[in-house]
Amino acid sequence: MTTRILPAVGDPDAARSLTTLLSQLPDAEPAGPVTDSTQLIDTLARLAGEALDELPEVVLVHERIGPVPALELIREVSLRFPSVGVVMITTDASPHLFADAMDSGARGLVTLPVGYEELANRVQAAAQWSTGVRRHLSSANDVFTGPGGTVVTVTGAKGGVGATVTAIQLALAAQASGHTVALVDMDLQTGDIASFLDVQFRRSLVDLALITDISPRVLADAVFSHSTGLALLLAPGEGERGEEVSDRSARQIVSALRSRYEIVVIDCGGQMNGANAAAIEMADTALLVTTPDVVAVRGAKRIVRMWERLQIRKAEETVTLVNRFTRNTEIQPPLIQKITGTRVAAAAVPANFKELQAAVDSGRLHELDAKSTVKQALWGLAGELGIVKVSATPKKGSALARRNSGTVKNDRGSVGRPRRGRGGPAEAEGTR
């Protein structure tokens, strides 16, 4: 049986010597090495998206891989791709590191300099384990085997630009189309999702921060099931407790959520910390919300440049949403795109706070009128980002089903891109 091996090694010299040894292993089919953690996750996700059998049996992770630390990377691979055997390559073979590696999900350690016999034994053991897991998963249809759900982060260029409203409406749009959706408040000090949705719940992100193995039952205990069908994971009521959520725990939480939900929307607020930076780095889509004024656009540019310096996210991989947009504003979307270097979303949200005020003040943002131009634009954005099942048959009794049945006629708040015909939000509010 052929064993497919994917090495993740950032050091070119170590990669060459490891590839040479792997090519000498019997029945081994080594792939070209990936050079960083992002490339590894992207490669595995692409292969898993094609078919479970396309994944390599063994992944080798060098201790100096970056930018995500090796142990955290191993944990993420183990959570997202449970049928892949991960082996860590390290100069430190101490019992302490061995225990940490096993806790993270590794199937073995190989010490540097790499020896042929040790490498062959570890690879063979990991491959046999992987084969057994895949045999089990192939007979268990209810076991999660895919690359994980889609993660969308929503970040404000500064406070008050509408990131939370955007995150909530994106989650509602995805849920209404038939997805299972988790909405996470990672604005750890000033999160307001609970207030916007009239929720009182004592559990929060902090309850998961110190747990090393987040099981489905543990996750379910920390999540609030909202009447809309959304699963809410809230920020702590005491802002100072947000410091307990580290970047490592944030990675574990996001990985656990994406393994249980098809769509995970994370409100990162307008302030950066280690936790939401980790979430943005892991996200499939990073949305940056700004308003068309000098201060906010300057803040958006500052955040984008910071993400690039910290190797969190490239500018061209970021989508910018223009909120409170009017035709008369001097700063238009093309200028914002040029200043930030990001891709500006086709959907722009009109400046119409009067539509929102009653829903916001009552904490019932989920009951926002379907005819609201703000809601139309944000649900159109959800279609643009690809987080809605546009052609899916809505569940009986859902808001989307009621609209399609004719209860609400001429509803322009349905899921999809903004209509550009006469009277549609794109033309009425000048979203181009």
Side-chain angles (χ1 to χ4, degrees):
M1 176 182 172
T2 301
T3 300
R4 292 164 296 182
I5 307 168
L6 178 60
V9 186
D11 187 313
D13 294 333
R16 279 193 297 270
S17 62
L18 182 60
T19 302
T20 301
L21 276 176
L22 290 174
S23 64
Q24 298 173 11
L25 298 180
D27 298 324
E29 185 182 302
V34 295
T35 58
D36 59 50
S37 57
T38 302
Q39 188 179 358
L40 173 62
I41 295 297
D42 288 347
T43 300
L44 293 175
R46 175 178 55 80
L47 294 172
E50 297 173 2
L52 176 63
D53 291 338
E54 294 298 320
L55 285 168
E57 284 74 24
V58 181
V59 168
L60 302 175
V61 177
H62 192 275
E63 63 179 353
R64 300 182 66 181
I65 195 73
V68 177
L71 289 176
E72 294 183 19
L73 178 61
I74 291 171
R75 185 182 299 276
E76 184 174 353
V77 171
S78 300
L79 284 170
R80 293 186 60 182
F81 313 99
S83 64
V84 174
V86 185
V87 176
M88 184 176 182
I89 302 174
T90 177
T91 56
D92 178 16
S94 66
H96 178 71
L97 178 64
F98 182 83
D100 286 345
M102 296 303 106
D103 288 341
S104 297
R107 304 307 306 171
L109 262 66
V110 174
T111 56
L112 290 169
V114 179
Y116 176 84
E117 290 296 333
E118 184 184 15
L119 180 63
N121 290 336
R122 297 293 179 270
V123 167
Q124 182 181 13
Q128 290 176 348
W129 176 87
S130 174
T131 301
V133 171
R134 294 182 192 201
R135 189 180 301 115
H136 171 71
L137 292 179
S138 64
S139 61
N141 295 328
D142 59 335
V143 178
F144 175 79
T145 60
T150 299
V151 176
V152 178
T153 57
V154 183
T155 306
K158 64 181 188 66
V161 296
T164 300
V165 172
T166 300
I168 291 172
Q169 290 299 325
L170 289 179
L172 289 171
Q175 194 278 332
S177 73
H179 282 301
T180 57
V181 183
L183 176 60
V184 185
D185 196 343
M186 210 169 275
D187 185 0
L188 296 173
Q189 293 184 346
T190 58
D192 278 325
I193 284 181
S195 298
F196 278 104
L197 297 179
D198 192 24
V199 170
Q200 293 183 353
F201 190 57
R202 62 187 181 87
R203 302 248 183 222
S204 72
L205 277 161
V206 174
D207 294 292
L208 299 176
L210 300 179
I211 299 176
T212 57
D213 185 13
I214 303 176
S215 66
R217 182 172 181 176
V218 170
L219 184 62
D221 287 341
V223 166
F224 177 83
S225 297
H226 194 259
S227 59
T228 58
L230 295 178
L232 304 181
L233 187 54
L234 303 172
E238 304 82 16
E240 66 275 10
R241 297 200 65 194
E243 297 180 358
E244 299 177 33
V245 185
S246 66
D247 56 342
R248 178 177 180 178
S249 58
R251 291 182 188 281
Q252 295 179 40
I253 292 168
V254 173
S255 295
L257 286 167
R258 82 188 314 163
S259 71
R260 303 291 297 176
Y261 298 94
E262 294 174 300
I263 303 293
V264 180
V265 180
I266 304 176
D267 177 12
C268 293
Q271 297 182 358
M272 292 301 302
N273 53 54
N276 56 32
I280 293 165
E281 184 182 1
M282 296 176 67
D284 299 282
T285 300
L287 185 69
L288 181 61
V289 182
T290 185
T291 48
D293 57 83
V294 173
V295 175
V297 174
R298 186 177 295 162
K301 180 180 179 181
R302 182 169 57 246
I303 286 178
V304 170
R305 298 296 176 263
M306 179 174 62
W307 287 355
E308 288 187 322
R309 290 194 304 272
L310 298 178
Q311 298 183 359
I312 296 172
R313 173 85 44 172
K314 296 179 181 179
E316 58 269 23
E317 297 174 348
T318 302
V319 180
T320 297
L321 171 69
V322 182
N323 189 22
R324 299 171 194 157
F325 173 75
T326 64
R327 287 180 179 271
N328 299 327
T329 182
E330 294 184 6
I331 301 179
Q332 294 290 314
L335 178 59
I336 295 174
Q337 180 166 305
K338 181 178 180 181
I339 291 172
T340 61
T342 63
R343 177 175 69 84
V344 173
V349 183
N352 200 341
F353 184 73
K354 288 183 178 180
E355 295 180 352
L356 297 173
Q357 188 166 2
V360 170
D361 290 345
S362 64
R364 311 289 292 179
L365 190 60
H366 52 290
E367 296 180 356
L368 185 63
D369 191 337
K371 295 182 180 181
S372 161
T373 57
V374 173
K375 180 174 181 177
Q376 292 166 25
L378 290 173
W379 283 42
L381 174 66
E384 183 179 342
L385 297 179
I387 61 172
V388 295
K389 296 179 181 178
V390 178
S391 60
T393 302
K395 295 180 180 179
K396 185 177 180 180
S398 68
L400 190 59
R402 289 194 297 272
R403 287 196 292 272
N404 288 347
S405 66
T407 303
V408 180
K409 297 182 180 180
N410 300 323
D411 178 14
R412 295 179 295 168
S414 57
V415 176
R417 299 278 303 255
R419 298 195 303 176
R420 298 187 181 277
R422 183 176 179 181
E427 181 173 339
E429 300 299 337
T431 59
R432 291 178 294 178

